[in-house]
């Protein structure tokens, strides 16, 4: 990563690519999920917030009907005629990273008969990739916003979030839910988004971390994950099986009271997967209510319970994430849990300002002791969603 701001890097890359200035620059943030993991594709509740790390897209229109994408991520520039935007076919011929911006262009044009101008897109980001902070939604949100404005499509933020998910599901081929894209589009400073993933109703809820003297630490284990493979898809399959066996459209439709019956009907593994989703949905509701009634210092136990459920019932944690959570709590964090899809990525810890250094040191020491690679630890601030920057 360069020391230049990602916005300056996107501009510089654009100028390298075209020899001129961009028409505009758009950006969209990564996100941290405070609580509500794997509930999104079960039509349930999530409670994420956008972070200050953002992906920037510098865009300029062209005289022809070609779309060109470049990213500081890779030296290769990828060029496709808009008429040839065709997914999943294109997945075979372009590098994986380019399926994100090109997939968004494809998705946003589906069902329109627009014959849009060609564009050059130059992309740069300071969202850590593959850390569970959704660099994928950040790139999708930035590109979707840029194309929506440039092509005059008039889509609203929820529609753009759906475009991002369509790109990720059908162009990239990663079967993710809508949470990341909604957060990246709808984020607000000092607030989280209480999102109903069935109705797409989104409520902005004040977090008040700084007023309560709290900071949110991200502990990136540097163990990389991939949504396109293995575990994530298996968990989705288990959830679908659980819902079908229980005779409900989605696990969202089950409550904690239904768990005894689920235990009778389901095999042990499927039952534990279901129990995670059902209890996690309840924890999201409890977190929002607790936050409103008692403030952020009171949500710690819910974060800890969420982690235990992901570790023991959903089985998506790894030793590095468990170590990050345990060491944070031992050093005085108010709460901690893994965040994101699991199998690597990051944990979060909610920590009183004066204990941040102690938690950071304790986690670093615990990783060294366990023989793990050094984690990357940094604070994040709840920040605003997609925007035009220039
Ligand atoms: P996460 O969203 O947790 O960071 P994903 O596997 O969902 O991880 O998405 C990461 C992928 O998104 C990268 O491997 C890359 O293909 C693409 N991507 C993210 N940011 C950029 C970027 N700035 N430039 C190009 N591709 C990017
Ligand atoms: Mg992602």
């Amino acid at each position: 990563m360069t020391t230049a701001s990602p916005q300056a890097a996107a501009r510089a890359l654009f100028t390298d690519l075209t020899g001129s200035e961009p028409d505009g620059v758009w950006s969209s943030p990564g996100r941290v999920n405070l609580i509500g993991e794997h509930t999104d594709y079960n039509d349930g509740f999530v409670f994420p917030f956008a972070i200050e790390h953002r992906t920037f897209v510098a865009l300029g229109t062209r005289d022809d009907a070609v779309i060109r994408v470049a990213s500081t991520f890779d030296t290769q520039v990828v060029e496709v005629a808009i008429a040839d935007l065709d997914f999943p076919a294109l997945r075979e011929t372009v590098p994986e990273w380019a399926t994100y911006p090109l997939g968004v262009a494809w998705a946003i044009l589906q069902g329109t008969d627009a014959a849009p101008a060609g564009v050059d897109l130059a992309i740069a980001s300071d969202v850590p990739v593959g850390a569970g902070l959704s660099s994928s939604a950040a790139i999708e949100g930035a590109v979707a916003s840029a194309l929506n404005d440039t092509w005059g499509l008039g889509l609203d933020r929820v529609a753009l979030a759906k475009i991002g998910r369509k790109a990720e599901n059908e162009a990239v081929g990663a079967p993710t839910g809508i949470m990341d894209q909604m957060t990246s589009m709808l984020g607000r400073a000092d607030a989280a988004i209480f999102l109903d993933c069935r109705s797409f109703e989104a409520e902005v809820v004040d977090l008040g971390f700084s007023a309560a003297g709290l900071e949110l630490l991200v502990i990136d284990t540097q163990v990389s994950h991939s949504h396109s493979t293995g575990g994530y898809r298996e968990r989705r399959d288990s959830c679908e099986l659980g819902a079908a066996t229980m005779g409900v459209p989605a696990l969202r439709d089950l409550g904690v009271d239904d768990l005894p019956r689920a235990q009778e009907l389901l095999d042990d593994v499927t039952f534990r997967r279901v129990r995670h989703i059902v209890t996690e949905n309840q924890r999201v509701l409890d977190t929002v209510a607790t936050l409103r009634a008692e403030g952020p210092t009171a949500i710690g136990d819910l974060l800890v319970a969420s982690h235990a459920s992901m570790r023991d019932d959903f089985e998506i944690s790894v030793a590095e994430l468990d170590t990050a959570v345990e060491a944070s709590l031992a050093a005085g964090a108010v709460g901690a849990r893994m965040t994101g899809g699991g199998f690597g990525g990051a944990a979060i810890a909610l920590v009183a300002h004066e204990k941040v250094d102690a938690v950071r040191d304790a986690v670093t020491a615990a990783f060294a002791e366990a023989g793990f690679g050094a984690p990357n630890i940094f604070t994040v601030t709840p920040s605003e969603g997609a925007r035009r920057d220039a």
Side-chain angles (χ1 to χ4, degrees):
M1 207 173 296
T2 57
T3 49
S5 77
Q7 181 171 1
R11 282 185 164 279
L13 182 63
F14 185 91
T15 307
D16 285 351
L17 185 67
T18 66
S20 53
E21 291 293 310
D23 299 343
V25 180
W26 288 257
S27 68
S28 204
R31 63 98 189 93
V32 159
N33 191 20
L34 192 56
I35 194 161
E37 220 63 78
H38 287 257
T39 45
D40 60 347
Y41 56 80
N42 288 292
D43 278 6
F45 304 108
V46 292
F47 195 44
F49 61 87
I51 58 178
E52 68 270 43
H53 302 75
R54 306 179 75 86
T55 298
F56 290 81
V57 176
L59 175 151
T61 52
R62 299 166 56 93
D63 296 335
D64 55 14
V66 162
I67 177 162
R68 251 194 329 168
V69 291
S71 167
T72 54
F73 200 81
D74 189 16
T75 51
Q76 192 180 344
V77 177
V78 179
E79 184 172 325
V80 179
I82 290 176
D84 296 336
L85 275 179
D86 180 24
F87 282 101
L90 214 48
R91 207 190 289 165
E92 306 305 322
T93 54
V94 301
E96 195 200 20
W97 69 265
T99 60
Y100 290 81
L102 293 174
V104 168
W106 165 79
I108 210 169
L109 291 173
Q110 295 284 295
T112 73
D113 44 16
V119 286
D120 288 312
L121 301 173
I123 299 162
S125 179
D126 64 359
V127 185
V129 170
L133 301 181
S134 207
S135 66
S136 56
I139 189 173
E140 289 154 11
V143 172
S145 302
L147 294 178
N148 183 47
D149 287 357
T150 302
W151 289 342
L153 300 173
L155 298 169
D156 66 21
R157 285 175 182 261
V158 173
L160 293 178
K162 290 177 181 172
I163 296 291
R165 181 178 61 169
K166 184 178 175 71
E168 189 148 347
N169 291 171
E170 297 174 33
V172 178
T176 55
I178 192 80
M179 166 173 74
D180 300 354
Q181 294 83 4
M182 287 287 276
T183 315
S184 193
M185 293 308 307
L186 298 174
R188 295 271 189 84
D190 206 26
I193 310 297
F194 173 38
L195 179 66
D196 180 333
C197 296
R198 171 170 281 168
S199 67
F200 297 101
E201 249 175 86
E203 216 177 316
V204 176
V205 179
D206 287 343
L207 287 170
F209 286 163
S210 62
L214 295 174
E215 298 205 34
L216 206 288
L217 273 183
V218 170
I219 302 153
D220 176 3
T221 63
Q222 316 259 33
V223 179
S224 75
H225 72 98
S226 168
H227 284 174
S228 317
T229 52
Y232 188 90
R233 196 176 283 277
E234 258 174 47
R235 296 306 180 280
R236 289 192 69 136
D237 291 345
S238 291
C239 291
E240 271 171 37
L241 173 65
T245 309
M246 292 296 288
V248 289
L251 293 182
R252 147 68 175 277
D253 298 299
L254 299 179
V256 176
D257 292 349
D258 295 308
L259 288 175
R261 190 169 64 93
Q263 190 159 20
E264 279 170 27
L265 292 180
L266 302 172
D267 66 87
D268 175 61
V269 170
T270 310
F271 169 66
R272 287 186 293 111
R273 305 298 186 248
V274 168
R275 181 165 62 186
H276 166 71
I277 299 298
V278 170
T279 58
E280 186 78 351
N281 265 325
Q282 187 59 48
R283 281 186 290 271
V284 176
L285 299 175
D286 293 347
T287 299
V288 174
T290 303
L291 199 55
R292 285 177 166 151
E294 300 170 57
T297 310
I299 68 172
D301 292 348
L302 289 160
L303 303 182
V304 175
S306 172
H307 186 77
S309 179
M310 288 187 284
R311 182 191 58 211
D312 302 335
D313 275 355
F314 220 56
E315 295 181 281
I316 54 172
S317 190
V318 294
E320 287 84 348
L321 290 167
D322 294 339
T323 298
V325 167
E326 284 156 25
S328 298
L329 294 172
V334 165
R337 60 184 283 277
M338 56 152 280
T339 185
F343 309 105
I348 54 172
L350 189 60
V351 182
H353 182 72
E354 63 276 11
K355 289 191 177 158
V356 164
D357 287 342
V359 168
R360 191 193 300 265
D361 292 349
V363 171
T364 304
F367 269 58
E369 173 125 345
F372 302 147
N376 183 23
I377 305 177
F378 50 96
T379 60
V380 290
T381 309
S383 300
E384 77 176 291
R387 66 179 182 223
R388 182 168 185 166
D389 295 275

